[in-house]
Amino acid sequence: MTTVPATEQPVTERSAAVPTAAGRRPRHHSRRAGTPYAFLAPAIVLFIAFLGAPIVYAAYLSLRKVKVSGLGLGSGSRTEVWAGFENYARSLTDAEFLPSVGRIGAYGLIVVPVMLGLALLFALLLDAGRTKVGGFTRTAIFLPYAVPAVVASLLWGFLYLPRISPINDILEGSGLGSPNLLGSSWVLYAVANIAIWGGTGFNMIVLYTALKAIPQDMYEAARLDGASEVQIAWRIKIPIIAPSMVMTFVFSLIATLQVFAEPMTLRPLSNTISATWTPLMKVYRDAFTRNDIYSAAATSVIIALATFALSFGFLKLVGSRAFRQED
């Protein structure tokens, strides 16, 4: 009778225990791998419920229309049927749609360059240490962004009214005359001023944060080489924060295409702002005044596609150059 040496028995026991331990590792690993998705689950559910589902439903409505039978008074006289791209064709050929797009284009040409230019200027001045009260200055510039757009529009709207505006009193007292800022010649600039006043602070904070991340050694080396503050800003700071500038431009572009609150709030104060002054105002008019949700959905999808195309096109155009230093 052969006997197994005592020294081999622990080896056999260890080898038998290895599959048990190895079999537990995949379960532990899979549990750890699912942890991030558990944290993301609430955000994913909220995104699907409040953003994804409405987008899909709007796209669905844009392909439908109501068919009226007879006088449309009895039950079953109004039925929802397939419309294809009929609503899109009607929106694009609407006589009020293209003028609203043109106004948004002119509005964007005013708002985006001025707002981002002021934000960059303020960020560079704060980073250069020219202001003794940097914390107060940052808060003062950023504070308008914390004011809701409707409230800001009401405040500026009363400042624009000729009869109660202190600005007009100052101009008249100086002999410069008082222009009607809510008239047809100035209303575009009046609306743009509200957006610039409210958005400059946010973009300034983004750019200033990017500037603070630049190592100070680069500035000291440039000063030793005889570079001035303007040269440091132009040759070092601006190229390094180019990705942040691209990001703020994309955000500003998206906000420009979706402007709604400012002209809608100023509309009761002026007869120069129509119900279709911007594309989103046209969507609101079609959906809630004319009760034509199908045409409004089609216009909304067109605005969303135009926003995506312009943003993606701009990123493809300048993104490779701006983000080259991060590769």
Side-chain angles (χ1 to χ4, degrees):
M1 181 178 180
T2 58
T3 57
V4 180
T7 55
E8 295 184 4
Q9 291 180 357
V11 176
T12 305
E13 294 176 358
R14 287 197 301 268
S15 62
V18 170
T20 304
R24 293 175 184 171
R25 288 173 187 165
R27 290 196 296 269
H28 182 64
H29 179 72
S30 61
R31 194 183 306 116
R32 292 183 59 185
T35 302
Y37 298 101
F39 283 106
L40 290 174
I44 294 174
V45 171
L46 292 175
F47 176 84
I48 294 175
F50 295 101
L51 190 61
I55 290 174
V56 174
Y57 186 58
Y60 167 78
L61 289 177
S62 67
L63 301 173
R64 309 286 289 180
K65 68 177 181 180
V66 172
K67 182 180 179 180
V68 180
S69 302
L71 298 177
L73 300 177
S75 60
S77 59
R78 292 175 174 268
T79 56
E80 188 179 278
V81 297
W82 179 260
F85 293 100
E86 180 181 335
N87 293 321
Y88 291 94
R90 188 172 55 175
S91 296
L92 292 173
T93 56
D94 193 330
E96 297 174 325
F97 180 70
L98 290 181
S100 67
V101 173
R103 281 188 288 269
I104 283 297
Y107 171 87
L109 290 176
I110 298 172
V111 171
V112 176
V114 175
M115 182 172 60
L116 296 185
L118 289 175
L120 179 61
L121 176 62
F122 291 148
L124 291 173
L125 290 176
L126 289 172
D127 187 66
R130 293 175 180 267
T131 56
K132 301 298 183 182
V133 284
F136 173 79
T137 305
R138 289 194 301 271
T139 304
I141 298 174
F142 177 78
L143 192 60
Y145 178 74
V147 179
V150 175
V151 177
S153 300
L154 285 174
L155 292 174
W156 280 101
F158 286 111
L159 290 175
Y160 292 153
L161 289 175
R163 295 183 179 179
I164 62 176
S165 174
I167 299 176
N168 288 341
D169 295 338
I170 295 174
L171 292 176
E172 288 180 356
S174 304
L176 300 176
S178 57
N180 183 11
L181 297 177
L182 294 178
S184 58
S185 301
W186 292 92
V187 67
L188 180 65
Y189 301 97
V191 177
N193 174 67
I194 300 175
I196 294 171
W197 179 78
T200 299
F202 170 78
N203 293 289
M204 182 272 295
I205 290 296
V206 173
L207 298 178
Y208 178 74
T209 304
L211 287 172
K212 296 300 290 183
I214 301 176
Q216 296 294 321
D217 298 342
M218 300 182 66
Y219 302 153
E220 295 176 1
R223 293 188 183 97
L224 291 176
D225 291 338
S228 62
E229 291 297 329
V230 175
Q231 291 174 329
I232 292 174
W234 185 255
R235 297 178 180 273
I236 298 178
K237 295 182 179 181
I238 294 179
I240 291 179
I241 65 171
S244 298
M245 295 175 63
V246 171
M247 182 183 68
T248 55
F249 183 90
V250 172
F251 288 164
S252 301
L253 179 63
I254 294 173
T256 297
L257 296 176
Q258 297 179 355
V259 61
F260 175 80
E262 293 86 352
M264 197 69 178
T265 306
L266 292 178
R267 187 166 177 260
L269 304 178
S270 173
N271 56 4
T272 59
I273 300 177
S274 64
T276 58
W277 200 78
T278 67
L280 277 187
M281 292 178 66
K282 180 182 181 301
V283 172
Y284 181 86
R285 192 275 312 266
D286 292 343
F288 300 104
T289 303
R290 294 185 174 181
N291 200 26
D292 187 2
I293 60 174
Y294 307 99
S295 178
T299 308
S300 300
V301 173
I302 293 173
I303 296 172
L305 292 176
T307 303
F308 174 79
L310 290 175
S311 303
F312 183 76
F314 177 77
L315 288 176
K316 291 291 290 183
L317 181 63
V318 303
S320 59
R321 298 178 182 178
F323 294 96
R324 185 180 303 167
Q325 60 183 344
E326 296 186 358
D327 296 338

